[in-house]
Amino acid sequence: MLALVKALHLLALVFGSAASLGNIYLALAAGPHDLPAPGFTNALRKLYRFTALFAILVLWATGLVLMFGEYGWWVPSRAFDIKIAFAILLTAIIFWLNLRATTWARTGGPPPYVKYLHWTGTFSLLMVVTLAVFAFN
Ligand code: HEM
């Protein structure tokens, strides 16, 4: 049973990383050479935003089940402590982007700092995965 939960944990990671890297690729593709396709780009942004939200909720749900099911109240590992710190940062970024997106859509697009949030979120995701391997190997 816990193997199935772990499979869900890793599948959510697959979806989350698609959303995270998708936003980075959009940021890299933007610029003076970019083709004007705002409707298409906004549709992609929305898909990435919802995918990231869905993925992080599944990651927390399955992660907590795995932790309680296999280790008790906490995993005694420094790598796990830092993994959860980065997971919290990533969750805060995803919640903030989902919370503010509709307002930004009405008021002329996301503020410039949003691209730094995407980079920070992707960096956090890479750290979480690396630290998970250190914590559980
Ligand atoms: C961005 C969020 C997260 C990502 C990307 C992530 C990623 C991963 C990965 C890649 C593994 C496999 C590591 C290995 O077996 O070598 C793993 C395992 C695990 N994760 Fe997460 N995780 C996330 C959030 C969480 C949270 C919030 C918790 C708990 C509060 C959690 C608890 C666990 C546990 C207990 C395992 C070990 C499962 C086992 O060995 O059977 N994870 N995670």
Side-chain angles (χ1 to χ4, degrees):
M1 186 61 195
L2 280 178
L4 183 64
V5 179
K6 184 160 181 182
L8 285 176
H9 199 67
L10 296 179
L11 285 172
L13 164 60
V14 170
F15 281 81
S17 90
S20 204
L21 291 176
N23 275 316
I24 294 298
Y25 295 156
L26 276 183
L28 290 176
H33 56 284
D34 200 12
L35 295 173
F40 179 74
T41 312
N42 284 342
L44 272 181
R45 287 209 175 96
K46 195 173 181 178
L47 280 170
Y48 291 148
R49 216 170 50 242
F50 288 162
T51 305
L53 185 61
F54 170 75
I56 200 72
L57 291 176
V58 174
L59 278 161
W60 275 100
T62 52
L64 289 172
V65 170
L66 287 169
M67 187 176 77
F68 293 135
E70 291 183 41
Y71 302 91
W73 289 102
W74 197 250
V75 182
S77 144
R78 179 50 52 92
F80 187 78
D81 297 344
I82 310 173
K83 165 185 157 142
I84 295 302
F86 274 109
I88 290 170
L89 176 62
L90 179 59
T91 308
I93 290 173
I94 293 170
F95 275 39
W96 178 251
L97 293 176
N98 273 278
L99 205 66
R100 304 294 297 154
T102 42
T103 309
W104 291 332
R106 270 188 278 111
T107 55
Y113 72 79
V114 164
K115 65 172 174 294
Y116 300 112
L117 288 188
H118 287 313
W119 283 101
T120 310
T122 300
F123 175 74
S124 304
L125 179 65
L126 298 180
M127 290 303 292
V128 172
V129 173
T130 307
L131 289 159
V133 175
F134 277 97
F136 298 110
N137 256 8

